[in-house]
Structure formats: C-alpha cells, structure tokens
Amino acid sequence: MRLLRHPVNRGVTAAHNTGLAAARDEFIGFLDSGDEWKPDKLTKQLDVMRRAPTAPLAFPGLVWRRGDVEAGSFARTLSVFSKLLHQHLPTGGHLVIPQRTMYLCLLQELPVKPSTLMLPAQILRSVGRFDERLRSGEDWEFLIRVARRFDFAYLDEPLTVVHVLDDATHFRYCIEDKENFIRLLRQVRNSDKGDREVRAAARRGVISLCKHLHWHYMASGDRRHAAVSCLRGLVETARPRLLARAVRAAASEFIALPGRRTPGRKSLTEEMDFGMHTLGPGGTERFRERLRATLRAGWLIPLLCLTVTLAAMFFYPLVSECALYLQYDSHEYLQTARHILAWPWSSPPTRTPGYPLLLILSGQATPTRTLVVLQLLLHFWATWLLAGLLQRLGVRPGLIVLFCLLAALPPYVQSAAHVLTEVSAEFTVAGGSVPTLRYLISGSTSSLISAALVWSYSGLIRPANALVPSFAILLALGVERALWGISSSRPARLRLLALTGAVAPVCALLLYSAVNWVCCGYFGPTPRTAYHLSTRVVESFDDIPDPVFRSILTATRNRLYAGGANRSLHRRYWAASFAEGRILKATGLTPLEFSRRLRAISLELIVDHPLQYLRVVADAAFTIVLPYRAPHNSYGHLDRFAPPIWFVPHLALMAGLAVIGLLLGAVLLADILFPGLLRGRLAAPARASVLGVSLALGIFTSVAFLSCALDIGEPRQRSFVDRVGWWACLCAIEAWLRFRRRGDFTHDIGATFSN
C-alpha cells in the first residue's frame, strides 16, 4: 500500500486523478473514505468481467448503512434502473447493459457509485480522467463520457457498503453538484438535437434534478430558491408539475402547514437516505411512531382537508353531465377564445381575454368533462390558499375543517360545471387577497408584486374586479389607523400598497383597451360594457334625446315588460341588446359605433336621473345579497338538494358579514368622531386577523356593489366571493372566542365607552 498526499486539500476529484496517475496495474477500483468492500467483492467482480468480455466496466450492487440500520439493494430503489433489472434480471445474477441503454439511464439517474466501480486502466486513456473543476458529481460526469463508448456489466449482489455520513461530499456540495449536472444535461440536449431519445432522457434528468433541488431548498427553509429551481426547470422542460411545485413553494411563504420541517432539519427519507421499506429490524414500529408524532404535530387537519378535496374531485365530475352552458355567455367566451387565436383581429373581442385565455391554455375549445375537473382544481386551490391563511393566523382546526367542508358543498361547486368566469374569478380573488394581506402585515416586496399581478389578471377576467382592491385596501387601512394608528415607518409602504392596488389593475385594463384601439379603433375593454350599463337605466329610456334610440329602446323595453313578469326581473334583460339590430338598420351605425353611443347615453341618463339609478342599484343589491336560489344548476338530480343546502349557510354568511360590517363601521365612525378613542385598545397580535377580516369584507362588499352599479347584478356575479366572506366570518369567530377567553378586550372597550 502506498500513501500519496497533497500539500493542500484539493478535493476528492484531484485525489481521484492523483491515484489514477500513480496506478500501475491492469484494473482500477475506487474505495471512498467511510465505504467498505465485502471480502469477495474483487473476486466476483473480476469473474463477471471475464465472462462478459464486451463490457469492460463492471459494478455490483450496494447497500446503504447509517449507524446500525442497513438498507436493501440501492439499484432496485431507482426508477429507471430498477425497471431495467425487473425486465432482464428478475432473480439475480449478472447483466450486460448495452452502451446506449446505460447512456440513456445515466442521463436520468446515477445507479453507479465510485466505490462499486472497477474498470481497465486503458479506458482512462480513451475517455480521460475526472474533471477537477467539479467538487462533487465528478463521477457522474465521468461515467457519462464512458457510457458514450462502452458497455457496462452489473452484478446483482450487494458487495459494497456505503456509509451515510453527515460530512459526505454530496451533502456538502449538494446544490453545486446538481447545478453542474443540469448544465451538463443542457449541453447534451443542445448537442444531440437530432436524437429524440437522448433529448427525452436528458429532459427527464433535468426534471428529476430540479425536484431534488426543490426538496433540498424546502428542507433548508429557502422557499424562494425552491420556487426558482422549479420555474427554471419548467422553462427548460415544459413540465407542468414543476409549475405546481413552484407555486407550492412560493405559497408556503404565507401558508404555514403545521408540522412543516424547520430549516436545516432532514426529512425521514433524507436522514436515512433510503425508502421507508428498508428501515430494517423494527422499522415498521419506528414508522408508526413517526406517523403518530406527525399527527400530533398538526398534520391531521391538512390531511382531513385534503381528503375532502379529493373526495369532491372524484364525486362531482361523475355526477356532472358535461361542462354546461348558461344562456349565451358561454358561447361568447368560446367565441372570444377563437377570436384571440385569430390575432390580429379587426374587431374587439366580445368578452375580456382573462377567462378565454384559460380556455385556450387548457385546450378546451370544445367543453368536456376535463373542463369540469380543471375548474374544480382551481376552486379547491383557492380554498386551500384561504385555509392556509386561516391556519397561519392561528384559527382553530375545527373552523378550518368547517371552511373546507363549506367549500365542498354542491351549491359552492356548481359553477365549476359551467363555461363561465366564476371559478377563475374566485381563484384570482383568493390569489390576490393572500399576498395583499401578507404585504399589509410584513411589507414583503414580492407579495406586493404578486398582488399587483394577480389583481391585474382578475380585472381582465371581469373588468369590475379592477376596482375591487382599491375599496378593500382602503377599508383595511382605515380600520388599522383607527385601532393602532400608523407609525412613522409605515406610511410610505401603505401608500405604495394603496397606489399599487388601485393603479395596477386599472393600468392592465387601459393597456388592453389601448390594444383594442390600435387594432379596431375601439377604446374600451369590451363593447359589452355598454350593454351592462344600459341595464341600470332601462326605466329612463323615455328621456333619451335621440328620437330613434328613444323610440326603438322604449318599444323594446315595453315589449319585454308586456310578458307579465315582474319588472324587477325583466330589468335584468338587455333591452338594448334586443334592440341593437333595429337601431343599426335605422341609423346605419356599425356595432362599435352603436356601443359607444349606447355607453354615452347610459352615462347621461345616470347623471340626469341619479335617484332612479340608485333605486335600481338598491333593488339589484337586495336581490344579489338575498337571492331565492343557488346561482347555478349543474349536477342533475343532485340539484334538488341545492336550494335548502345553499340557502341556510347563505343566510348565516349574510348575517355574519352584516355583524362584521356594523362593528367595523362603528370603529371607523368612532375614529372620525373621536380621533384616537380606540387606538391601542386592541392587542397587537390581533392586528393580522383584523386586517384580514377588513380586507375580506371590503372585497365582498365592493364586488357586490360594483356588480349592481355597473353590471346586471345577478347572484352568480357575487357567488365567487362567498368563500372570502366565509373566511372573514370564521376569522372573526376565532378572534371573538379569543377575546371571550381572555376578557381584556371587552373590558377595555367597555371602560373606554364608560369614560
């Protein structure tokens, strides 16, 4: 035995190359520090190499060992290599792996560890030595070069023991190792563009490495880099599941699942570095103990919520007939999707592009049951965002489970079976509310950017939603000022939030309106806004100055009223839409000119008859807040249970929001009449909950008001914010229970008003 030393520590790669340069015999083997060979390892390995002359490299199986616990065969735990063994080597023995097969396998995973490898010295003269620029993963890169030219032989017998040590090189340089190999795989994909198998294998390898980077970053608490690694993999491989991982990593910034691993702590699999089926003697009992500890740590509630979600995802697509239409709105969304694909267009799309873009991305030009599943996913994703925020605010588990159960009730899931905007609007409202509240609490810049982007897209789904964040943020800031005041370090940040919430969605709509102006000569998000606004002034058509418009519109309105139904119901019909053809024929206007003229007439009538307009809005508000039925019918015989199931919780929701509104209104009024009266009376830890309740109430009320003031005011136009309303109610219940238990809040408020 000869001992060779470097004057300074040059790393494991340089040590390998120094040993290779000093080797004198025909065969070379590697034995890393901490690993061990079985006594008959070399003998059996040489025997395999003699029996397989076409495979100059041979490697046996290995086992992992950590302390006294030893795992089974490492090769049979891998996804790609284990399939190869099950097909060609089910009962043991040795297997010659062709060069092409081994090369494709190595592009995806590494079944060979250095301490298992034995190769002739002449191979080094053909492929070169290890790359000393790599501090870790040099063996993987070396084997890739070897597999381009030579076959491998595998002996299915564990002749090497690899000890798992905390200071191992692949632990210390884990990130660098995977980053280097991602670059290598990128080079392979670029150099072998004509080889589809190689490119596909390299793509799967990049996906696997990005997943491992994601796990490593999440285990260390670095969620930002976890999301970035998945997004980078998404760009390179177009793997949709990486997007889900990236969103999960980013969302975990403000969704704290109980029992989540603390930074620096390894998971069970990482601690043992092999699967749970290889835990060794007593492993089952240890696994059960860990499972019990996990449930005690708080994972039970997320598991219950996940069970509810999966049950609903399985049940509702079975009972729904298909993705149904509702009146003509669904046809217009599909027509808009086709219109967008025909860019550049000569006329503006009938609807705004937010929801049609989702139809295009999902490939649902013709609605199928797949669209039901997709919209169910968005619905429950929004539910989980809000449930996670409840958990982060310390709401008790029972209320969180109640929230998820309410979201799974048929009336709240019905909209998923329609080609309508309700589900996408619900998702964007939830996705905008969470980062907005997080910015209010912590001042995170990334949350501000996320909120601005999500609210902007929400405005492209429904133009009225562009104004929602302004009302909600102002209400939350007003309540915060009344209860805690505004410190000198916060005004600039809060002004920035209010400005961003107000400007970003409006700017997105203005930008889209400018696109319509450049392409079609029409400035506005959609010509339909004029028809929506005209429903608010139907009873004022008699005062339209233009005689042609006045005569045709009033005649159409009277014909609708002559049907014998209630005027309040018929006011929802678009009299202007029914009269469009006659007006165009009588005036010679184009549809866009008619839309512009109708919008101007509606605004003039609102200004001239404000009381009548407010009465119409109030009538619509009463209908939208207390509708007599569920907004949709989608699930066949199941819908007969929808009205009673829906009406009772809806009344409870409205009552809860009314109480919250009265309390917050009293707080704001008290601050206006008696500035500083309530300031400091509420404990600081309650600030996050109160801000969340204020923000949710602002979103709910502004959506309901804008639907009645600018649109038809149907119940379905409010239904997508019902989950936000329930969120506010449950959060307020939790705050009230805490106050009742402690008693300090009610005492202080009572003393304040007594004084």
Side-chain angles (χ1 to χ4, degrees), residues 143-159:
L143 289 169
I144 287 286
R145 284 187 277 130
V146 174
R148 288 178 182 268
R149 304 180 58 180
F150 300 101
D151 296 342
F152 283 67
Y154 173 71
L155 176 60
D156 192 23
E157 187 175 345
L159 301 177

Side-chain angles (χ1 to χ4, degrees), residues 327-329 531-539 557 560-561 565-578 616-629 704 707-708 711-718:
Q327 299 177 355
Y328 49 83
D329 290 3
Y531 299 91
H532 294 168
L533 197 59
S534 69
T535 62
R536 308 297 86 193
V537 293
V538 171
E539 293 187 352
R557 178 201 63 190
L560 292 174
Y561 283 172
N566 183 278
R567 288 194 172 203
S568 173
L569 180 62
H570 272 292
R571 193 178 293 121
R572 299 177 185 275
Y573 287 93
W574 294 358
S577 180
F578 292 123
V616 172
V617 172
D619 182 41
F622 180 80
T623 306
I624 201 173
V625 171
L626 293 175
Y628 68 96
R629 62 179 177 84
S707 298
C708 297
D711 210 333
I712 303 175
E714 290 183 337
R716 69 180 180 86
Q717 295 175 336
R718 184 230 69 246

Side-chain angles (χ1 to χ4, degrees), residues 425-620:
E426 174 194 3
F427 179 71
T428 53
V429 166
S433 305
V434 174
T436 300
L437 180 58
R438 186 171 183 272
Y439 180 81
L440 278 171
I441 297 171
S442 64
S444 170
T445 305
S446 60
S447 299
L448 178 64
I449 297 174
S450 301
L453 292 176
V454 175
W455 282 120
S456 298
Y457 190 77
S458 182
L460 292 177
I461 294 176
R462 289 194 172 186
N465 287 2
L467 303 176
V468 169
S470 303
F471 290 95
I473 291 170
L474 288 176
L475 177 61
L477 295 181
V479 172
E480 183 187 32
R481 180 182 179 276
L483 293 176
W484 291 282
I486 304 296
S487 63
S488 57
S489 61
R490 285 176 57 79
R493 192 177 77 196
L494 296 181
R495 283 196 296 270
L496 179 62
L497 173 65
L499 183 64
T500 303
V503 172
V506 176
C507 287
L509 276 183
L510 291 177
L511 180 62
Y512 177 67
S513 300
V515 172
N516 283 336
W517 173 261
V518 172
C519 297
C520 319
Y522 178 84
F523 188 83
T526 168
R528 280 293 172 189
T529 55
Y531 299 91
H532 294 168
L533 197 59
S534 69
T535 62
R536 308 297 86 193
V537 293
V538 171
E539 293 187 352
S540 304
F541 282 169
D542 298 301
D543 299 320
I544 297 176
D546 191 312
V548 177
F549 273 78
R550 181 177 64 248
S551 61
I552 297 178
L553 287 175
T554 52
T556 304
R557 178 201 63 190
N558 294 335
R559 186 173 68 253
L560 292 174
Y561 283 172
N566 183 278
R567 288 194 172 203
S568 173
L569 180 62
H570 272 292
R571 193 178 293 121
R572 299 177 185 275
Y573 287 93
W574 294 358
S577 180
F578 292 123
E580 179 181 2
R582 296 176 58 194
I583 293 177
L584 294 181
K585 184 176 180 180
T587 60
L589 297 174
T590 65
L592 291 183
E593 292 172 341
F594 171 72
S595 176
R596 281 194 291 264
R597 181 61 179 145
L598 181 63
R599 182 172 57 189
I601 290 174
S602 300
L603 292 175
E604 291 175 3
L605 292 178
I606 290 174
V607 173
D608 294 339
H609 304 84
L611 294 180
Q612 194 170 31
Y613 168 73
L614 292 176
R615 185 176 67 82
V616 172
V617 172
D619 182 41

